[in-house]
Amino acid sequence: MKLLLSTLFIILFTSCAGPTTPFGGQVLIGEKFRLDQSFTPPENINFKFSPERQYYNSPYDLQVSIVDPSFDINSFRYEILYNNRLLNRWMKTEEIQFPSKKNEPIKITFKNLSILPGNINKISFLYYPKGSETPIIHKLEVPECLKEKLPEKMNLSPFNISKSLKNNIQNISEKYGYNSNLIAALIAQESSFNPKALSFAKALGLTQVTPMAHEEINRFKKEWKIHPLFLQTNVLNLRTKLKENKINSFNDWRLDEKKSIEGGILYMNYLSDYWSQPNKQAILADAFQHDVPELDILLASYNSGPARVSRAIASHKKHWLFDKNLNEARKYVMNIKSYCYSFNQGITHEE
């Protein structure tokens, strides 16, 4: 009998646990919760988050600060929603510091929070003021990155890159009217700022330009050549030639840092032209009406090719990025936007 009860407890426990959340595997997922935004919160209660948005590129510390002049520890209540389900907290990473004086904040810290790119991550924090059964709701929004906005800051930590490379990214991005943090984020995702990075698809350099992408860039830069071995031999042999310096910046433009940055931008321009064609604009208008996620589409096209992205949009409309053929592209887009957001904050989220 004891064995039977133990078995039933384990089954019930594991079924409640559900999928892993960003807050760890030891969090039980509870009932669904409907967000009601009609409640007007008191003006003297304030939420503050650091960082202010989700961050995907590595585990990081999330700090939540709540200022409530009427705080009473005996009635303290706050909850977390993940994808519209309440989390029954059992979090080793959660630390709560209560105020010792009036108007001091309640400080909640989550150590090593891991929000995975590619997942749907709807995260909300609910705080119940004293005597209220209606919570104040604060959503932790996804990262934002604007294609053409000039950055307020450019802090590429934790990447340790040279001042000259940083200046080249800024200068070339501004020359073409791009947000330099976006281009830096693209490079971080593609090559981790390694100018000699080589992929199995024979993509080379900071912006990982493939021989196929080179053909499009070559329309703008006819004097730029890639090494003929890229069309004749395998990746292992290419790696050997790179180590021996037989493939270098003199015989393959992608190994020139400035040209690689410019080439990546030129390929983005080619993709922008692709999506500006009338037939592609018709597909976008049908799928999104007036709210076209242009940057997401450009980045997904850079990763997976515009034709595959076009098929996904035609088939799935607004849910295009969850097409099974774009699983890697979805992570790619989310990671780049996260890097871009982080670089613009001037804050190190990674240890």
Side-chain angles (χ1 to χ4, degrees):
M1 185 64 179
K2 288 183 178 179
L3 179 60
L4 177 60
L5 289 173
S6 298
T7 303
L8 286 172
F9 176 78
I10 291 171
I11 293 172
L12 287 171
F13 183 87
T14 54
S15 64
C16 291
T20 301
T21 77
F23 300 90
Q26 296 174 319
V27 178
L28 303 182
I29 299 179
E31 68 275 11
K32 285 188 176 180
F33 186 97
R34 183 176 178 180
L35 292 177
D36 182 6
Q37 298 287 10
S38 62
F39 172 65
T40 302
E43 292 183 359
N44 61 347
I45 298 179
N46 296 305
F47 270 95
K48 184 178 180 181
F49 284 73
S50 181
E52 294 179 347
R53 292 176 177 265
Q54 297 178 25
Y55 185 70
Y56 304 128
N57 306 108
S58 77
Y60 72 103
D61 292 353
L62 174 65
Q63 296 178 333
V64 184
S65 176
I66 306 170
V67 176
D68 180 2
S70 301
F71 169 75
D72 181 355
I73 194 170
N74 296 313
S75 60
F76 172 68
R77 179 185 173 193
Y78 95 98
E79 296 171 323
I80 301 171
L81 285 183
Y82 181 65
N83 292 339
N84 300 323
R85 285 189 176 273
L86 283 172
L87 301 186
N88 298 311
R89 298 194 312 281
W90 181 27
M91 306 175 190
K92 292 182 178 180
T93 59
E94 181 188 47
E95 297 177 356
I96 302 178
Q97 181 181 338
F98 294 111
S100 58
K101 298 178 182 178
K102 188 175 181 179
N103 293 325
E104 284 186 347
I106 306 160
K107 296 181 179 179
I108 306 167
T109 303
F110 297 95
K111 296 284 188 180
N112 296 316
L113 187 67
S114 294
I115 306 179
L116 298 179
N119 292 352
I120 297 175
N121 295 299
K122 297 179 181 178
I123 301 173
S124 297
F125 292 83
L126 282 57
Y127 175 71
Y128 293 79
K130 182 180 179 180
S132 175
E133 289 300 316
T134 304
I136 298 171
I137 300 167
H138 186 95
K139 292 183 179 180
L140 189 62
E141 300 289 355
V142 299
E144 65 176 2
C145 180
L146 301 179
K147 175 173 173 280
E148 298 170 354
K149 181 181 178 182
L150 293 178
E152 299 171 7
K153 301 177 182 177
M154 190 179 183
N155 184 339
L156 303 184
S157 177
F159 297 98
N160 184 19
I161 71 168
S162 67
K163 186 177 181 180
S164 63
L165 176 54
K166 181 178 178 180
N167 288 339
N168 285 334
I169 293 171
Q170 289 177 310
N171 294 336
I172 298 171
S173 298
E174 290 176 11
K175 174 184 174 181
Y176 285 93
Y178 278 79
N179 178 351
S180 56
N181 279 325
L182 169 61
I183 301 305
L186 175 77
I187 294 170
Q189 177 64 25
E190 287 285 359
S191 64
S192 296
F193 295 96
N194 176 7
K196 293 186 177 181
L198 175 67
S199 77
F200 283 104
K202 298 184 180 180
L204 181 65
L206 291 172
T207 55
Q208 289 290 278
V209 172
T210 63
M212 187 176 296
H214 160 75
E215 294 299 322
E216 302 300 341
I217 296 166
N218 210 213
R219 298 179 184 182
F220 306 98
K221 297 288 183 178
K222 295 187 182 301
E223 70 277 15
W224 289 6
K225 306 298 181 184
I226 67 171
H227 199 287
L229 277 178
F230 276 85
L231 304 177
Q232 301 170 1
T233 190
N234 57 51
V235 171
L236 293 178
N237 191 31
L238 290 173
R239 291 192 192 281
T240 301
K241 299 298 183 185
L242 279 168
K243 287 181 181 179
E244 295 173 346
N245 203 37
K246 291 181 179 178
I247 300 177
N248 52 59
S249 60
F250 295 103
N251 53 37
D252 196 308
W253 68 265
R254 297 171 296 171
L255 289 170
D256 182 300
E257 290 185 4
K258 287 185 179 180
K259 290 179 179 177
S260 182
I261 297 166
E262 188 173 6
I265 292 174
L266 288 173
Y267 189 61
M268 290 277 279
N269 285 347
Y270 156 75
L271 294 171
S272 293
D273 291 343
Y274 174 92
W275 287 107
S276 296
Q277 297 174 45
N279 62 326
K280 300 305 176 185
Q281 286 290 300
I283 292 173
L284 297 180
D286 178 60
F288 304 106
Q289 283 76 51
H290 303 293
D291 191 19
V292 180
E294 294 180 1
L295 180 59
D296 291 13
I297 291 170
L298 280 181
L299 293 175
S301 299
Y302 196 107
N303 175 259
S304 295
R308 184 178 296 177
V309 173
S310 182
R311 289 193 295 270
I313 293 173
S315 298
H316 303 289
K317 311 297 183 186
K318 290 183 179 180
H319 304 290
W320 65 281
L321 202 46
F322 287 87
D323 183 289
K324 64 180 181 180
N325 294 313
L326 294 181
N327 287 338
E328 288 303 315
R330 185 169 64 253
K331 297 175 186 177
Y332 178 90
V333 170
M334 294 173 75
N335 268 333
I336 289 180
K337 291 172 73 173
S338 181
Y339 275 131
C340 180
Y341 167 71
S342 175
F343 294 164
N344 192 58
Q345 303 311 298
I347 298 173
T348 302
H349 300 316
E350 301 175 75
E351 296 297 331

